[in-house]
């Protein structure tokens, strides 16, 4: 319907007709009524579209998923209860016991544990790779049972930039899809499908919600990956599903196959749904996403420049900063800016870092990231504390790294706060 991102943020998803509510209604109902048993049967057989139970589908959730789908330029999307559920479903929808996939080692700590520990217990093996290696080196990690490649557009917390073209080519040369977690960039700043990604995931908890109000996730399918062309690798999509009267998803649903399977099978059986109430809050956040992302980026760049000039700062990583090692990739994939998160280290190591963080007045120490209020975290003491020193280094998380999530306050106030905290050192 619409072509520009900002307009999509506001108008996609819920399109009221004559006399309907202007704002997206919350369908706070577990179930939906039908007149005949026959209609109900057709719904259960996936022969007819319609709502019957909120664990499978709900109109509020579907409207919000449709908005995110339009923003990413995909063909189908589903909401999940969290970003963790989104990444788990995205992989588990195409990997079974005995399968293998490749993930960048520079990813969110929660995803690292999910892939490296929990999914391993399910017999699904993940190889973590250094995403800066050249394609010839990365090539060596593919095995006959490799089913997917996974990375993050902007890595949390090291804020390095994913090289989409390198990984899309590698994945496609091996007949597997590229799955990208686009949480930090959001589709306002980067649309991975335009660079060859096949499936996108989100923790909507971050910028999309934008106000630290609700945990949620989303999976979007580009519809571009041809499952049938690699049928032997993806039997779950290309052979009959006995739990659905022998439906073969890729044949029956074409480009909608991946999301239909994730809904009909994984959501049915595992049930990690987003509540319609949370989907409503998420939609409110999405309505201003384009404005907020612009402000986050402007503020973060000003803060990054300030830190770079500060002689108490050992180093700063922010890809939009001229001279940053990821500046070229950022300019290529995110010409309008990356996000509001940056990473830096303070001279004097851990002790100085902790004193600095404790001295801040309104930039608060929270586990969260990427919302309206400035916050910060020391991953080695907080989110990544379960990781060994070796794993931290492999993930590129320096022991002195401070992750600063720059909010949308007036930037002069933010810099003044940092200034007074540095003065205490
Ligand atoms: C937070 C985060 C997740 C996990 O999302 P939850 O909503 O907290 O479950 C996944 N990926 C990235 C990049 C994140 O920042």
């Amino acid at each position: 319907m619409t072509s520009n991102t900002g307009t999509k943020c506001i108008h996609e998803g819920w399109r009221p007709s004559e006399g309907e509510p202007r704002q997206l209604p919350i369908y706070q109902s577990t179930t939906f009524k039908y007149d005949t048993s026959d209609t109900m049967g057709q719904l259960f057989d996936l022969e007819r579209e319609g709502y019957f139970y909120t664990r499978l589908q709900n109109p509020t959730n579907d409207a919000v998923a449709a908005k995110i789908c339009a923003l990413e330029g995909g063909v189908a999307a589903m909401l999940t209860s969290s970003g963790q559920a989104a990444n788990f479903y995205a992989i588990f929808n195409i990997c079974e016991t005995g399968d293998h996939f490749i993930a960048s080692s520079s990813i969110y700590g929660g995803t690292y544990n999910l892939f490296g520990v929990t999914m391993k217990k399910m017999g699904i093996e993940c190889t973590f790779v250094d995403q800066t290696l050249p394609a010839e080196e990365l090539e060596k990690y593919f095995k006959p049972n490799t089913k997917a490649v996974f990375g993050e557009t902007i890595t949390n917390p090291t804020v390095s930039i994913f090289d989409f073209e390198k990984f899309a080519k590698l994945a496609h040369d091996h007949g597997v899809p590229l799955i990208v977690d686009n949480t930090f960039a959001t589709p306002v700043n980067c649309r991975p499908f335009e660079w060859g990604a096949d499936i996108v995931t989100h923790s909507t908890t971050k910028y999309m919600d934008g106000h630290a109000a609700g945990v949620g996730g989303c999976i979007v399918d580009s519809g571009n990956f041809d499952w049938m062309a690699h049928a032997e690798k993806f039997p779950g999509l290309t052979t009959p599903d006995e739990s659905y009267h022998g439906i073969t998803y890729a044949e029956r649903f074409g480009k909608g196959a991946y999301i239909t399977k994730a809904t009909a099978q994984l959501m049915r059986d595992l049930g990690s749904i987003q509540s319609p109430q949370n989907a409503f809050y998420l939609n409110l956040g999405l309505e201003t996403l384009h404005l907020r992302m612009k402000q986050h980026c402007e503020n973060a760049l000003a803060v990054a420049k300030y830190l770079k000039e500060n002689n108490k700062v050992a180093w700063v990583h922010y890809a939009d900063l001229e001279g940053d090692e990821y500046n070229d990739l950022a300019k290529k994939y995110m010409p309008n800016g990356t996000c509001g998160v940056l990473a830096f280290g303070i001279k004097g190591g851990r002790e100085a870092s902790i004193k600095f963080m404790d001295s801040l007045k309104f930039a608060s120490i929270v586990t969260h990231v990427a919302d309206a209020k400035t916050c910060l975290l020391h991953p080695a003491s907080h989110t990544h504390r379960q990781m060994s020193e070796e794993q931290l280094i492999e993930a590129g998380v320096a022991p002195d790294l401070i992750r600063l999530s720059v909010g949308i306050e007036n930037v002069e106030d933010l810099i003044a706060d940092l200034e007074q905290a540095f003065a205490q050192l």
Side-chain angles (χ1 to χ4, degrees):
M1 172 182 78
T2 49
S3 55
N4 292 304
T5 306
T7 312
K8 285 181 187 171
C9 283
I10 294 172
H11 288 293
E12 285 286 353
W14 170 246
R15 299 172 195 171
S17 46
E18 183 86 352
E20 283 192 322
R22 188 75 184 99
Q23 184 50 279
L24 171 67
I26 306 171
Y27 286 84
Q28 193 67 50
S29 181
T30 58
T31 193
F32 301 82
K33 172 195 168 275
Y34 291 94
D35 287 339
T36 68
S37 152
D38 199 35
T39 316
M40 198 68 174
Q42 289 170 0
L43 289 166
F44 271 101
D45 286 350
L46 304 181
E47 273 167 14
R48 185 190 172 113
E49 281 196 39
Y51 296 97
F52 51 106
Y53 193 56
T54 286
R55 170 151 43 77
L56 283 122
Q57 281 187 297
N58 172 282
T60 306
N61 291 21
D62 281 0
V64 181
K67 177 176 284 187
I68 298 172
C69 187
L71 284 166
E72 288 288 4
V75 298
M78 69 193 284
L79 297 188
T80 58
S81 54
S82 65
Q84 287 299 110
N87 283 328
F88 173 59
Y89 281 26
I91 299 286
F92 196 56
N93 204 29
I94 49 173
C95 285
E96 299 178 2
T97 304
D99 284 345
H100 168 257
F101 68 104
I102 292 170
S104 161
S105 60
S106 315
I107 52 173
Y108 175 67
T111 314
Y112 192 93
N113 280 329
L114 168 68
F115 290 174
V117 180
T118 299
M119 293 189 78
K120 190 174 171 186
K121 290 181 189 157
M122 305 170 85
I124 298 170
E125 187 201 0
C126 177
T127 303
F128 294 104
V129 299
D130 172 356
Q131 63 174 11
T132 62
L133 288 174
E136 313 83 75
E137 288 296 315
L138 291 165
E139 191 90 44
K140 296 177 187 157
Y141 295 102
F142 283 84
K143 305 180 186 189
N145 61 340
T146 302
K147 300 296 168 75
V149 175
F150 180 95
E152 283 176 13
T153 303
I154 305 171
T155 62
N156 178 1
T158 50
V159 292
S160 41
I161 309 295
F162 190 68
D163 191 346
F164 290 99
E165 288 186 329
K166 177 173 78 177
F167 280 96
K169 183 167 188 312
L170 272 169
H172 298 157
D173 283 351
H174 291 86
V176 302
L178 174 62
I179 304 177
V180 175
D181 180 332
N182 197 31
T183 298
F184 271 18
T186 83
V188 171
N189 284 342
C190 183
R191 285 171 303 280
F193 297 155
E194 294 173 5
W195 300 102
D198 300 288
I199 290 144
V200 156
T201 61
H202 283 281
S203 164
T204 61
T205 318
K206 314 296 165 56
Y207 289 117
M208 285 190 168
D209 169 293
H211 303 80
V215 174
C218 185
I219 309 174
V220 189
D221 182 13
S222 67
N224 293 336
F225 194 82
D226 188 349
W227 307 105
M228 277 307 195
H230 308 281
E232 73 298 342
K233 280 195 202 293
F234 305 104
L237 282 154
T238 60
T239 61
D241 177 0
E242 293 316 324
S243 73
Y244 255 117
H245 313 294
I247 282 178
T248 298
Y249 294 98
E251 275 173 1
R252 179 77 171 272
F253 300 100
K255 286 183 179 296
Y258 177 87
I259 294 292
T260 305
K261 176 177 180 287
T263 305
Q265 214 178 55
L266 301 187
M267 204 54 101
R268 177 196 63 189
D269 295 352
L270 302 171
S272 320
I273 53 161
Q274 189 163 135
S275 75
Q277 185 81 39
N278 275 8
F280 174 82
Y281 294 133
L282 171 56
N283 188 57
L284 282 186
L286 288 167
E287 288 192 358
T288 56
L289 183 65
H290 55 304
L291 302 176
R292 290 184 289 104
M293 287 312 288
K294 193 161 174 274
Q295 195 62 44
H296 279 294
C297 289
E298 269 177 40
N299 283 2
L301 186 58
V303 169
K305 285 180 177 163
Y306 162 80
L307 291 171
K308 186 93 188 167
E309 296 302 311
N310 192 311
N311 60 18
K312 290 182 176 163
V313 172
W315 56 270
V316 185
H317 279 319
Y318 185 60
D320 293 339
L321 207 54
E322 211 64 49
D324 186 88
E325 60 180 307
Y326 289 101
N327 191 238
D328 290 342
L329 286 176
K331 277 184 182 148
K332 175 174 174 181
Y333 296 123
M334 286 163 267
N336 297 325
T338 54
C339 68
V341 183
L342 55 85
F344 70 104
I346 293 178
K347 289 178 188 161
R350 208 183 176 105
E351 212 173 301
S353 306
I354 289 170
K355 176 134 206 292
F356 169 81
M357 293 195 294
D358 289 351
S359 308
L360 289 163
K361 296 267 191 284
F362 65 83
S364 50
I365 302 170
V366 296
T367 314
H368 203 240
V369 65
D371 70 71
K373 302 176 188 81
T374 296
C375 60
L376 77 175
L377 183 95
H378 181 226
S381 328
H382 309 135
T383 42
H384 288 57
R385 65 184 299 142
Q386 288 101 334
M387 284 166 96
S388 66
E389 195 87 352
E390 204 176 48
Q391 285 174 320
L392 278 175
I393 289 163
E394 195 195 15
V397 181
D400 66 342
L401 182 148
I402 294 177
R403 181 184 72 187
L404 179 64
S405 172
V406 180
I408 53 175
E409 299 93 342
N410 288 90
V411 75
E412 313 81 84
D413 294 334
L414 286 180
I415 291 175
D417 193 22
L418 297 171
E419 186 76 14
Q420 66 80 24
F422 278 120
Q424 321 259 334
L425 296 182

